[in-house]
Amino acid sequence: MTRVLVLHSVSLLRSALAALLTKEGAFDVSACGWGTAARLSQTLRPDVCVVDLDCPGATALLEGDTEGAVSTGTTDITGTTGPTGPILTPRMALLVLASAGRPGALRRAFEARALGYVDKNGSTHRLVRAIRKVAEGERFIDESLAFGFLEAARMPLTQRELSVLSRAAEGESIAEIARGLHLSNGTVRNYMASATRKVGARNRIDAIRISQGAGWV
Amino acid sequence: MTRVLVLHSVSLLRSALAALLTKEGAFDVSACGWGTAARLSQTLRPDVCVVDLDCPGATALLEGDTEGAVSTGTTDITGTTGPTGPILTPRMALLVLASAGRPGALRRAFEARALGYVDKNGSTHRLVRAIRKVAEGERFIDESLAFGFLEAARMPLTQRELSVLSRAAEGESIAEIARGLHLSNGTVRNYMASATRKVGARNRIDAIRISQGAGWV
């Protein structure tokens, strides 16, 4: 029986996903949030880990940055750790639930070597099939997400522009961003201007809105 | 048997919530998105309608603004219509799934006369109990949301400040906002400044971030 671990930051939704998978797929399903994910993944040794990409914690999980989860553990080969050790292990297949139109999130999942990419607006049947496939080590990508991959491949922003935009999105002023990144105010303004132009935005606020919508920042 | 209609914009999550409620509560559960909500609510005549407040469509539903749902229907007594008529009917109890820390969303649910307020980070058991209570016409409010209600009662922004912030959040410039609201540029700047001060923000982008987080805009 395939063991599935559902990771979601909202408890009612992870219980709901677990109920769905138990009912429709006859999997052995557990569900938890980021806080207990490491412990549970080590105890249960799941075959497949299902992660909702739109959860705030998903980005940190995929990037191996567990600051938000009060990391005290060690870093394993995948570079992703939780409070008591690694969450994702090399033997576990990663399957992400993604929304179309968020290429930035897909890109991060791809970089974290996710094997399955399932559209959250697809059918339960597809999700069950995807879990079975990735459990066997095969890749699964929903057609509706394919365009997002294409967009993800041509991410328009440089790392510097992303850093500047992310800090601006958190409410930092030009001067604060400049201090934080050891740049001059003028350079920060230049990065903001180039990022705004590249994403086709009308102004800084619009650039942040567009970039957040796409999942770049 | 209590008839429950689950409204969620993401199909996998609404299927999941339906599976959870069928399993744990022995309710007669249906689930749909905004597009078919009106038709289904008229056909099924559910006792309780469960809506996730964090869905993009929830705000429009609660405010009776169904522009986003390509409204062609008529407005009923509750003022909320879908493509083929009303979604919420006076005989149906409204239960919302809410996140703590989003008083603006709670406020809109309260104004739409929701009877049940369930914390999305609570237990399935609480949700089942809440559905049973509101089906009997009783109010249900999760304790963890109580502080949100307190904050919702003292919403800091005026309607004008909210309008200006919402338009700025969509990427409109000062001049565009001024034209759209028939105000002078200076007046728009004043509203932006007062809104920024009132929510304790450092600048305009910070004001938008804070207001969106709280669910005000």
Side-chain angles (χ1 to χ4, degrees), chain A residues 31-48:
Chain A
C32 66
W34 314 113
T36 50
R39 187 160 45 79
L40 223 63
S41 88
Q42 281 163 41
T43 316
L44 301 173
R45 297 272 158 201
D47 305 299
V48 180

Side-chain angles (χ1 to χ4, degrees), chain B residues 149-172:
Chain B
F149 274 94
L150 202 68
E151 286 187 299
R154 51 177 189 202
M155 208 274 274
L157 304 171
T158 66
Q159 199 50 54
R160 272 300 195 199
E161 289 162 348
L162 278 178
S163 304
V164 167
L165 264 189
S166 301
R167 283 170 176 261
E170 290 300 310
E172 290 191 13

Side-chain angles (χ1 to χ4, degrees), chain B:
Chain B
M1 201 184 217
T2 305
R3 286 187 302 275
V4 178
L5 177 62
V6 174
L7 284 185
H8 202 293
S9 52
V10 179
S11 69
L12 272 183
L13 295 180
R14 64 178 175 255
S15 300
L17 284 165
L20 183 72
L21 292 176
T22 303
K23 181 182 155 220
E24 299 293 339
F27 301 119
D28 177 3
V29 189
S30 308
C32 65
W34 314 114
T36 49
R39 187 159 45 78
L40 223 64
S41 89
Q42 281 164 40
T43 316
L44 302 173
R45 297 271 159 202
D47 304 300
V48 180
C49 179
V50 175
V51 177
D52 186 336
L53 272 190
D54 293 330
C55 288
T59 300
L61 171 76
L62 299 180
E63 286 174 354
D65 163 21
T66 50
E67 237 176 77
V70 202
S71 175
T72 57
T74 54
T75 305
D76 83 326
I77 190 172
T78 68
T80 303
T81 65
T84 58
I87 294 173
L88 300 176
T89 63
R91 286 181 45 212
M92 191 192 309
L94 176 62
L95 184 149
V96 296
L97 305 178
S99 304
R102 303 204 77 224
L106 283 180
R107 187 188 176 92
R108 274 191 291 272
F110 180 75
E111 283 166 359
R113 277 169 290 188
L115 212 52
Y117 303 81
V118 175
D119 188 343
K120 288 170 78 174
N121 268 312
S123 68
T124 307
H125 174 71
R126 298 273 300 166
L127 173 58
V128 168
R129 196 144 70 90
I131 290 174
R132 295 211 174 106
K133 281 201 111 178
V134 302
E136 286 164 15
E138 286 178 57
R139 186 169 279 175
F140 183 98
I141 302 173
D142 255 329
E143 269 175 58
S144 48
L145 299 174
F147 185 67
F149 274 94
L150 202 68
E151 286 187 299
R154 51 177 189 202
M155 208 274 274
L157 304 171
T158 66
Q159 199 50 54
R160 272 300 195 199
E161 289 162 348
L162 278 178
S163 304
V164 167
L165 264 189
S166 301
R167 283 170 176 261
E170 290 300 310
E172 290 191 13
S173 67
I174 295 288
E176 285 168 329
I177 298 171
R179 270 199 302 279
L181 297 177
H182 306 290
L183 299 169
S184 74
N185 290 4
T187 305
V188 170
R189 275 200 199 86
N190 287 344
Y191 281 131
M192 283 294 280
S194 59
T196 301
R197 196 184 62 245
K198 283 180 177 179
V199 301
R202 292 169 286 179
N203 52 53
R204 287 177 196 170
I205 295 174
D206 204 27
I208 290 169
R209 183 183 66 87
I210 291 172
S211 304
Q212 284 181 331
W216 300 129
V217 297

